Amino acid sequence: MARIYPLFSSSRGNSTYIGNETAGFLIDCGVSYRRLTAALTLNRIPISAVKAVFITHEHSDHVSGLKMLTKNTSAAVYGNKRTLQRLCDGDKIAPHSVLIDMNGRKVACVDYEISSFNTPHDAINSCGYKIRTPEGFDIAVCTDLGHITDEVRENLLGCKMVLLESNYDENMLRHGPYPLYLKQRILSPIGHLSNDDCGEFAAELVENGATHILLGHLSQENNRPDTADKTVQQHLGKFARGKDYIMGVAPVETAGGAVLL
């Protein structure tokens, strides 16, 4: 049975563990090593179970704990080549770490098969990850994207579970305290996905077989869990929640628990 542990999910730190108490891997490491270890322990997962970390892009809320993780464990670091180079140049990865370029490849990791796909974000080479589980179905983690591209759509349609960005409520963002340049960045085609954009695509996902939607990377300034949930559900109106699909919001910080598939 596949287990997905959304350990951290917000504009201030992101990390998801996929696997079990013996072996698995992380998608991103955007919190301190101490907080990451504590979150894993809360889920009865030792840090030794982390065999690899797959990095989506170089922004701090996705890599701030990577240096200490690679210093204290033997976890390999996967990512697109330019992202890995940027992280090395910025001293974000411990020396002598094993680095593996994901561009155009499928890799095997603890009985899972992982591939990357490009996402439109203001980073050097941002990506999401599609994961084939040992049971033979696909799941995906896709955050930090300004819009849904054909490549994103091609990779996510048909997935059983998707952790999808629902970053901001447009009204809250436009009338909130952020400076204009930051609002424009978030709203841009290489910024972040709004609740409405997330909802529109979530309907496509469910139409194409998704049974679990997990809303992630919510802004703590420009969104609320209940607002994101309500907005996305409105777009899923022709489907029956609890029957056609299950939906939740990834926690800012885990209190324990996993999505079981």
Side-chain angles (χ1 to χ4, degrees):
M1 179 179 293
R3 298 181 186 181
I4 300 92
Y5 297 81
L7 301 177
F8 298 91
S9 186
S10 76
S11 293
R12 298 179 184 174
N14 297 275
S15 189
T16 300
Y17 178 81
I18 299 172
N20 56 35
E21 295 87 348
T22 303
F25 55 91
L26 295 171
I27 306 292
D28 288 329
C29 185
V31 298
S32 71
Y33 180 73
R34 178 185 60 82
R35 292 179 67 200
L36 175 67
T37 303
L40 288 168
T41 300
L42 188 61
N43 287 282
R44 299 181 180 179
I45 300 167
I47 192 68
S48 60
V50 178
K51 307 304 180 185
V53 54
F54 291 78
I55 299 299
T56 60
H57 63 293
E58 73 274 14
H59 291 167
S60 62
D61 58 321
H62 295 261
V63 301
S64 62
L66 184 59
K67 177 76 176 285
M68 290 303 294
L69 176 69
T70 52
K71 181 179 179 180
N72 287 284
T73 74
S74 59
V77 182
Y78 294 77
N80 287 337
K81 183 177 181 179
R82 289 191 294 162
T83 298
L84 295 177
Q85 187 62 58
R86 177 65 61 87
L87 293 172
C88 289
D89 292 345
D91 192 31
K92 302 297 184 182
I93 302 176
H96 312 301
S97 298
V98 176
L99 308 180
I100 301 172
D101 176 18
M102 284 295 296
N103 288 86
R105 300 179 58 200
K106 290 183 179 180
V107 300
C109 183
V110 294
D111 297 326
Y112 292 80
E113 183 182 82
I114 302 102
S115 59
S116 67
F117 53 90
N118 295 315
T119 51
H121 192 50
D122 56 352
I124 194 167
N125 195 179
S126 182
C127 71
Y129 288 102
K130 182 176 180 179
I131 302 110
R132 173 65 58 90
T133 71
E135 294 79 13
F137 53 79
D138 294 325
I139 61 178
V141 175
C142 184
T143 66
D144 296 79
L145 68 166
H147 68 285
I148 302 299
T149 64
D150 289 342
E151 183 174 354
V152 169
R153 181 172 280 106
E154 179 182 345
N155 278 274
L156 266 56
L157 293 184
C159 287
K160 185 173 182 179
M161 193 285 291
V162 178
L163 194 166
L164 182 64
E165 178 170 57
S166 191
N167 182 256
Y168 64 92
D169 173 83
E170 188 168 344
N171 185 61
M172 290 177 67
L173 175 63
R174 290 188 181 277
H175 296 92
Y178 276 11
L180 180 60
Y181 81 89
L182 186 53
K183 293 180 181 180
Q184 291 174 334
R185 170 188 174 263
I186 294 168
L187 289 161
S188 80
I190 55 171
H192 290 279
L193 211 62
S194 71
N195 292 339
D196 280 307
D197 290 337
C198 174
E200 289 180 9
F201 189 49
E204 287 189 56
L205 293 173
V206 174
E207 183 75 46
N208 285 271
T211 58
H212 292 67
I213 303 293
L214 192 59
L215 309 181
H217 207 292
L218 274 67
S219 168
Q220 291 170 284
E221 290 77 22
N222 302 305
N223 210 353
R224 292 191 301 268
D226 59 334
T227 299
D229 185 283
K230 181 179 179 180
T231 302
V232 173
Q233 186 172 343
Q234 288 172 345
H235 289 275
L236 290 164
K238 70 176 183 178
F239 303 103
R241 188 169 186 170
K243 180 181 178 182
D244 296 323
Y245 71 95
I246 296 170
M247 185 169 71
V249 177
V252 172
E253 183 166 353
T254 182
V259 178
L260 305 179
L261 295 173

